Amino acid sequence: MRALEAAKLVAHGRGGLALGPVDVNVLPGEVLVVVGATGSGKSLLLAALAGLAPSTVAHDLSVGMVFQSAALDDACSAFENVARATRARRVPAPDEAARTALVSVGLGDALATLPRQLSGGMRRRVAIARALAVAPELLLLDDPTAGLDPRTTREVLALALPSGPQAPPTVIVTHDVDEVVPRADRVLVLSAGRQCFLGAASLLASEPALACYAPRRGTDDVHAEAW
Amino acid sequence: MLVALGEAVGRRAGDIGALLLSARRALIAGSRLRVDLTETLRQTDRLFVDALPLFTVASVAVGGVVAMQGLNYVARYSASEVFGWAAAMSAYRDVGPLLLGCGLAARVGARTTAELAVMAARDRLDAVRALGIDPEPAVVWPRLVATVACSVLFWAPACTLVLAVAFVVASLVGDQRLATSVWSVASYVHASTLLQGLVRMVLFGVVVGLASCHAGVAVATSEDRSAGAIGRAVYAGAVLSLAGVVMTNAVLSLLGGTG
């Protein structure tokens, strides 16, 4: 597994939105959480890393991305949504890989179900299965817990954030500070397209201007919850 | 008002320019076009089944119109032996394809534009792109090819239905003998007439496919991704498709001396 190296990243989005320069270097197994006000360039950063927006990014890592809207094809079953990705990426035994991914996110019984028949949390899980099934070298998550209840939020995060050195570098954009930031190895705070903080989550509370991004729950609480 | 008119003309000119660029890209890609075959078949099936009721009803109605117009000339010139020929020309080459082209724009084209616009507005095209897949061969071209396939698939059955209804109505209303009408078709209608109608239909399919796909995908580059933007995309796609069908029909008629 390789690291994501995107130093001094500059990107341009719709509506004249500009981002950067921002340093986004993430090691394998590391989770970088990106927070900031609406319109600060968080989603543009992910779009740039995924190659969806004009930018200076030049990595060649294969990407798995979970969109805020899940971005599933409603005309195809959950299985077909994932299998299309595995086939397109030429994953060995693509259909089996898709099935395994859906089973691993707890949707083994919903393989033939259309996305519109699934709840918001289940749709998000299908999107996670699609992103993970292609064994990405870089995992990008755009507010994956938006609109979910606390229990589903924790389930989704547990599924979406693989751990260990074999896990890909992960960049996650969120507004859910309390649930997501405690799971971060590092936090990047953006403001009006500029990087205004990059460091450990524990340091956020000591910066008065950034205290609003400091979680009210600690990392220990999150790990204790897992047990 | 002049400013609004200028803006509208500018937008349509931009659409036509982008449409021509899409057509150029499609032509350049033609030799190495790798369209997702499964997706193309799926889209063709969906679009065909979806448009079947509209084409059936419209064919029956147009068959009635063709009969009444034909009977008018039959009565005026006492030419019952050419009624079948005239109705077949109208059904397979002139009115039939034009009707199908307009139906294609209204039903198949509008649906294609709406689907692609929603996909663009809700990040689904980006999701495909994020997987390293080019959305054009995977998502857009299958719909374009499916639209052309539908135009071909509908041509023979719909035009034959138009002709059959015209014959039945003419025999019921105007004492035009069915056998005479059929004999007229067999005697006077040549394969080239049918081929001209089929070519016209294929061109209408290409025009509707390009216009509807372009209008849908254009939402991806737009600042506005609201429901209103999707509605405007469907409207623009329908206008472009219908205008394209009418203009193509006019050009073909001028070139072929028909229509």
Side-chain angles (χ1 to χ4, degrees):
Chain A
M1 204 53 78
R2 293 180 291 163
L4 167 67
E5 292 174 2
K8 307 230 179 298
L9 185 158
V10 175
H12 300 279
R14 286 193 299 272
L17 184 63
L19 172 73
V22 178
D23 291 320
V24 188
N25 300 314
V26 190
L27 297 170
E30 191 180 19
V31 176
L32 175 69
V33 171
V34 184
V35 292
T38 303
S40 59
K42 303 185 298 297
S43 292
L44 177 57
L45 173 63
L46 283 198
L49 292 173
L52 303 176
S55 74
T56 55
V57 171
H59 71 77
D60 62 346
L61 303 173
S62 65
V63 174
M65 185 164 180
V66 177
F67 289 81
Q68 190 179 339
S69 60
L72 302 174
D73 186 348
D74 282 330
C76 297
S77 66
F79 169 76
E80 196 57 31
N81 266 283
V82 181
R84 278 185 181 183
T86 53
R87 288 176 204 143
R89 280 284 183 82
R90 302 186 193 287
V91 172
D95 288 3
E96 191 51 42
R99 195 171 288 110
T100 306
L102 281 165
V103 169
S104 71
V105 297
L107 291 176
D109 295 335
L111 295 177
T113 310
L114 294 174
R116 64 170 175 266
Q117 297 169 318
L118 298 171
S119 67
M122 290 166 95
R123 288 171 61 86
R124 218 64 66 84
R125 287 194 209 180
V126 177
I128 290 167
R130 181 176 61 183
L132 296 177
V134 297
E137 294 173 301
L138 171 62
L139 186 59
L140 305 173
L141 307 161
D142 190 359
D143 217 351
T145 60
L148 300 182
D149 63 82
R151 180 177 175 164
T152 312
T153 292
R154 285 163 204 167
E155 287 173 1
V156 163
L157 287 174
L159 295 168
L161 296 178
S163 55
Q166 290 307 309
T170 301
V171 181
I172 174 167
V173 161
T174 189
H175 287 287
D176 190 350
V177 171
D178 287 337
E179 290 293 342
V180 182
V181 171
R183 292 168 165 84
D185 293 298
R186 283 184 301 150
V187 178
L188 169 65
V189 182
L190 295 178
S191 175
R194 299 277 173 173
Q195 173 180 324
C196 57
F197 175 84
L198 178 61
S202 57
L203 300 175
L204 282 168
S206 59
E207 298 274 344
L210 305 174
C212 59
Y213 298 116
R216 282 168 293 180
R217 317 164 67 226
T219 309
D220 292 342
D221 296 338
V222 171
H223 291 310
E225 212 168 61
W227 293 94
Chain B
M1 197 180 99
L2 281 174
V3 172
L5 188 65
E7 283 176 352
V9 170
R11 274 199 301 274
R12 290 293 85 82
D15 281 339
I16 290 168
L19 200 60
L20 292 174
L21 284 174
S22 296
R24 180 173 166 269
R25 236 182 14 257
L27 283 173
I28 290 170
S31 58
R32 53 184 170 75
L33 200 59
R34 290 188 299 114
V35 179
D36 186 332
L37 188 63
T38 312
E39 179 65 5
T40 304
L41 290 174
R42 197 173 70 88
Q43 291 300 334
T44 304
D45 179 47
R46 290 174 64 216
L47 293 175
F48 184 84
V49 171
D50 196 43
L52 197 55
L54 172 72
F55 281 120
T56 306
V57 172
S59 298
V60 170
V62 171
V65 172
V66 167
M68 299 314 290
Q69 284 192 327
L71 285 174
N72 189 26
Y73 287 101
V74 166
R76 188 183 295 176
Y77 299 110
S78 302
S80 62
E81 74 274 11
V82 295
F83 171 78
W85 166 77
M89 291 281 275
S90 190
Y92 285 103
R93 197 190 66 179
D94 300 330
V95 179
L98 185 59
L99 149 86
L100 284 175
C102 292
L104 207 66
R107 195 74 190 93
V108 176
R111 179 177 177 153
T112 300
T113 305
E115 280 184 358
L116 288 174
V118 168
M119 289 178 84
R122 295 188 185 164
D123 299 329
R124 290 186 204 156
L125 291 182
D126 279 349
V128 173
R129 210 171 277 126
L131 286 165
I133 306 167
D134 184 352
E136 284 200 343
V139 178
V140 182
W141 297 135
R143 283 170 170 78
L144 172 59
V145 175
T147 305
V148 178
C150 279
S151 70
V152 174
L153 290 172
F154 272 121
W155 174 74
C159 295
T160 304
L161 183 58
V162 169
L163 191 64
V165 171
F167 284 2
V168 170
V169 171
S171 69
L172 293 174
V173 177
D175 290 335
Q176 170 74 23
R177 288 181 60 221
L178 211 55
T180 308
S181 299
V182 174
W183 170 83
S184 175
V185 172
S187 303
Y188 299 125
V189 177
H190 302 296
S192 61
T193 304
L194 302 181
L195 190 64
Q196 283 175 25
L198 185 57
V199 168
R200 192 173 287 226
M201 206 55 238
V202 170
L203 288 175
F204 290 165
V206 171
V207 166
V208 171
L210 277 172
S212 55
C213 289
H214 158 71
V217 172
V219 173
T221 55
S222 165
E223 303 285 329
D224 185 3
R225 293 185 169 193
S226 63
I230 294 169
R232 281 191 293 280
V234 174
Y235 169 71
V239 168
L240 267 178
S241 298
L242 284 169
V245 165
V246 171
M247 283 169 66
T248 307
N249 190 58
V251 170
L252 291 174
S253 298
L254 283 172
L255 291 175
T258 60

